[in-house]
Every structure is written in C-alpha cells, then in structure tokens.
Amino acid sequence: MTKPFEKIIIANWKMQLTIEESVAEAKEMKKLLSKSKLPNSTAVVVCPSFLAMSEVAKVFKGSDIILGAQDTYPGDVGSHTGEVSLRNLKTLGCEYVILGHSERRAMGETDESINLKVKATLEHDMLPIVCVGETYDERKEEKTNFVVIHQIYEALKDVNIREGQQIILAYEPVWIIGSGQVIDANEADRMSQIVRQSYVDAMNGEKLDALNIIYGGSVTAETVAQFTNLEKIKGVLVGGASLDGKTFIDIVNKA
Ligand code: 13P
C-alpha cells in the first residue's frame, strides 16, 4: 500500500552506472535530500539496474528515497532464465516498478506481457509505472492519440486496483527521450488529458483517485517546472539528468 503523493520525481538509471557509481550517486542524493526542505508529499524514487539494487537499498535505508525497479517478471518462482521476480524485489524494499518502457517495447515487450506485469505488480501491493508514448513516425502519421490510447487500454485490461493502491501512467514521447529537447508544455498538457481520458475509459470510470500522470523525456532542472506546473501532471521520469546525484536533487527541488 502506497500513500498518495502530490509530486512524484523518478530517476531511471537504465544501464548507465556500475554498482560502485550507483552507490556513490545514491549516497550523494541521500545527503543532499536530507538538507533540502522537501514536503513529505513529494515522492522521490530511484530505479537502479537490478545488479545495483541491493547495494543502493542499503544506502537508502532510513532515508526518504524510495527504491524502484526498471522491469520485472510476472511470476514468483520458476525456470525463467535471466528474469527477476517481484517477490525478490520486494525483499529489497522495492516499492515501484517501471513497466513497458519504450526501450523495452523496442526489444519486443508486448502489450500482453505489460498487462500481466501490471496485474502482478498490483497483486504484490507494489506501484506500477506504466510507460506509454509514440515514436516519431507515429506522430508524423498523426497516430499519437491512437497509440497512447491503445497502449493504456491494453496495459489496463482487466486490471483490479484495490482500495488504497496507486498507479502511475508515464507519458514519454519516444522521439524525445535522450534527444535533449522537451515537448512544448501545451502539447504535454494536451497529452495528459488524453492519458487521463484513456484511463477513465479503460477503468470504466472507476478508481480515478488511484491515477497519477507524469511526463518523461529529456527533463532537466531548467525544464521540470513547466511540466509539474500543469494541472494534470504530477511529476517526471528522468533518465540522463538523474545519473548525477546533485543534478537529480536539483530537479527534485525545482519540481
Ligand atoms: P531522458 O531523460 O534521458 O530523455 O530519458 C527519459 C526516460 O526514458 C526515462 O524513463
């Protein structure tokens, strides 16, 4: 069970840091965050690589930083070479799980598998961060709305969100990720309304209280507020600018 937050700032470290580097940045974040006067209605989440998670978990122990994972497998035990279970993630204190990131979709992750992972994550009382977004070609072909609506609908098929549980839908335009450019705030606002309406439709108008929408794609300390100031966007999912502890906490403070 996770309490609802007013702001959610998530670091996705992807495959960028060694274990040693992850521990060093985690320590820096913990130190800087303890000095910042952040309201406890802000969730600060860090998703290291699987390999670094247990060491980073030790650093975050006793701090306000929440541990997240970059993916999972929707089953507890079994012959699944290379996979990592929610059961094991939970023993580390991991609470949030990124699902359906475009970099995983590009490697063959299907809507069906994302849907199974969303259900399993909620069954373990952990919080799914479901990533959706269009590619450059899809946008050019005016399929943006269709793609995002479809991805949300498929991810949430037959999903049961229990009382007190939360879910995050992260709108990340694929063509913006890692580009150094952000989308126009008006467009992010328009997409947040599409995301919200898709959620309402997929959930038959129920569990609106459980929804949190965030934006991702080349967010920096300079640009974060233009998204978090939008009515329907609660936070950001940060890649490149989250790799340096000081830069990430700067984003957290400016959100
Ligand atoms: P960048 O912030 O590096 O564009 O990455 C965004 C992202 O993919 C977060 O999941």
Side-chain angles (χ1 to χ4, degrees), residues 10-12 14 98 101-103 131 172 176-181 216-219 237-242:
I10 304 172
N12 177 7
K14 307 189 180 183
I98 296 174
H101 192 282
S102 60
E103 288 152 13
C131 300
E172 295 203 297
I176 287 288
I177 294 174
S179 71
Q181 290 179 307
S218 297
V219 173
L237 181 53
V238 191
S242 74

Side-chain angles (χ1 to χ4, degrees), residues 24 45 48 59 86-87 91 125 135 145 186 205 242:
V45 185
V59 176
L86 287 157
R87 188 174 76 134
T91 60
D125 237 343
T135 62
N145 295 4
N186 289 331
S242 74

Side-chain angles (χ1 to χ4, degrees), residues 44 67-68 70 72 77 79 87 95 130 151 166 169 208 222 233 241:
V44 180
L67 188 66
Q70 296 178 18
T72 191
V77 268
S79 309
R87 188 174 76 134
E95 294 178 44
V130 183
Q151 286 175 343
Q166 298 280 310
L169 295 182
L208 201 48
E222 286 70 44
I233 294 189

